[in-house]
Amino acid sequence: MKYLLFFTICLWIEAGFAQSKLPVIKATSKGVSINDGGYLDKNSWTLSPKIRPDVFTAERSRKAKWVTFYTDIDSIRVKVKPGTRFNFVVLLNGKDSCYTQIASAIPPENKSQNNIATHDTIPFTLTAYDAICVKTVINNTDTLNLDFDTGSWDFRLTRDAILKKTKLLANQPDALAGKAKPNYNNLNKVFKLQMGKSVWTNPEIVATGLTAYEMDGRFGWNLFESKTLEINYDQSLLIIHSKPLKIPKGYVRSKLEIIRSFVIAKGSFEIEHKKYSGSFLFDTGSEQAVVVDSTWVSQQNFPRNLKLLKSSVLHDPRGVGYETKIVLVPALKINGFELTNIPTLILGSKNPVGFMINYLGDDVLKRFNMILDFKNDYLYLKTNKLTNLKYRESS
């Protein structure tokens, strides 16, 4: 989702480029910095004259915001609203036209489907490492186990799974024979991906080096944008509703935030009658219970005398290690529900996502059946049969 390149050339987009006079900015270097809604990422985009258009998908927001492209000598500032696209040209070195589009992560509303309500069900298995494992079939032939990871986006397959379990490298016989290094940027096309009865046509597939333990890859929450998603741990089902639904009794609602395309909700610790409130990124791809940000710990004057369970090293999706310690926290409240004696991992260094945020992993999240309304951005929680299970790191 973040700075993804979409290689499918849409005819109506091409027509738009051909028929209207587009804004032009100049550049003498391929590196571009982007300020997306106040978050500046330096040299995060590479100009490419060969991709027409080269699509930058802005971080997901239901509010209008400004996105600015900075080349080494010029810039353009665009107001992005849900469902909008803006086309322009970057003229590289005075000769190469780089056709570029800034798109909202929220697609335009499909009015033809406004009165059609659908409900798709995807069965899953909760593994011993708390991965939401979904059997996935690619191109009607290759079967993989993918983790549903609310801390991720789109489809990610591990390089090992691509090499050993799919035909996506059939166009590279030397790589399959071990005579050459596989080029994971040149995979055979995925024309169909199926999970349960849900089908994705021509999905973008990205290779990754890391995912949940024993999984072949992962898929993210944004695949259900503007829909309502149920995660039912009691029945081991993901249920996708095309429209918001009537919420069953027992669920408690709170507002859901999307910050830098991460799903985030409010929560608080309670220690010795004092409350420590913060924002928590929902991360079903993590087997941890809770992870707290080192900067947040410092700003909140979070207690330093909590019982130490162990010290460890946590790896991010890039494989970078971060020294951590796990302490026992007396109480955690989410949506009014209270969990007690929570093993909580305190990061010992800078947060890998680049901004201050805490995390709820699946060792906590699995204790709730969840409804995620990505149309109106609401979270609904209800305790389930896993609520009183022992935590992985509690001993």
Side-chain angles (χ1 to χ4, degrees), residues 271-285:
I271 305 170
E272 296 182 348
H273 307 293
K274 187 174 180 180
K275 183 180 290 187
Y276 301 87
S277 300
S279 296
F280 290 82
L281 188 155
F282 273 41
D283 189 5
T284 58

Side-chain angles (χ1 to χ4, degrees), residues 140-299:
N140 297 321
T141 58
D142 303 329
T143 300
L144 301 177
N145 290 324
L146 301 188
D147 175 37
F148 174 52
D149 184 354
T150 52
S152 185
W153 312 283
D154 301 306
F155 292 102
R156 304 283 190 268
L157 304 184
T158 66
R159 296 180 183 91
D160 191 58
I162 291 172
L163 179 62
K164 297 178 181 179
K165 297 185 178 183
T166 77
K167 300 177 182 63
L168 299 181
L169 289 172
N171 60 341
Q172 301 178 46
D174 287 346
L176 293 176
K179 298 178 181 179
K181 187 176 180 180
N183 180 358
Y184 292 100
N185 293 320
N186 184 30
L187 301 177
N188 279 345
K189 184 177 181 59
V190 176
F191 57 83
K192 179 182 178 183
L193 188 150
Q194 183 167 358
M195 297 186 292
K197 293 183 179 180
S198 295
V199 174
W200 282 263
T201 303
N202 300 323
E204 183 177 13
I205 301 296
V206 178
T208 184
L210 191 67
T211 192
Y213 189 70
E214 296 182 335
M215 295 293 100
D216 298 316
R218 62 187 188 270
F219 60 102
W221 72 268
N222 68 304
L223 299 172
F224 312 106
E225 174 61 71
S226 298
K227 299 179 181 180
T228 298
L229 175 67
E230 285 189 68
I231 308 176
N232 190 315
Y233 289 93
D234 285 329
Q235 299 179 20
S236 297
L237 293 175
L238 300 177
I239 307 172
I240 309 161
H241 305 275
S242 62
K243 290 179 170 295
L245 68 157
K246 183 178 180 180
I247 304 301
K249 291 182 179 180
Y251 283 88
V252 178
R253 188 180 81 166
S254 66
K255 190 63 180 174
L256 198 64
E257 293 184 80
I258 308 292
I259 299 177
R260 302 211 76 181
S261 298
F262 290 105
V263 177
I264 291 168
K266 299 294 184 181
S268 63
F269 295 105
E270 292 195 3
I271 305 170
E272 296 182 348
H273 307 293
K274 187 174 180 180
K275 183 180 290 187
Y276 301 87
S277 300
S279 296
F280 290 82
L281 188 155
F282 273 41
D283 189 5
T284 58
S286 170
E287 65 186 63
Q288 298 293 330
V290 181
V291 179
V292 293
D293 186 283
S294 57
T295 303
W296 180 86
V297 166
S298 177
Q299 290 183 0

Side-chain angles (χ1 to χ4, degrees), residues 42-115:
K42 295 182 178 180
N43 295 317
S44 57
W45 182 265
T46 302
L47 295 172
S48 176
K50 295 181 180 179
I51 305 172
R52 298 167 65 117
D54 200 354
V55 181
F56 168 76
T57 303
E59 300 282 10
R60 196 262 204 192
S61 173
R62 289 205 174 275
K63 296 180 179 179
K65 63 174 180 176
W66 292 98
V67 173
T68 305
F69 267 53
Y70 297 96
T71 71
D72 58 331
I73 58 173
D74 208 347
S75 67
I76 187 168
R77 186 170 181 249
V78 176
K79 193 171 188 178
V80 177
K81 299 179 181 180
T84 62
R85 298 173 183 267
F86 181 85
N87 300 317
F88 63 100
V89 176
V90 183
L91 187 61
L92 181 60
N93 293 321
K95 58 179 182 178
D96 293 324
S97 294
C98 303
Y99 290 85
T100 308
Q101 182 181 98
I102 298 175
S104 165
I106 299 175
E109 187 173 350
N110 189 340
K111 296 182 179 180
S112 65
Q113 296 181 354
N114 277 353
N115 297 318

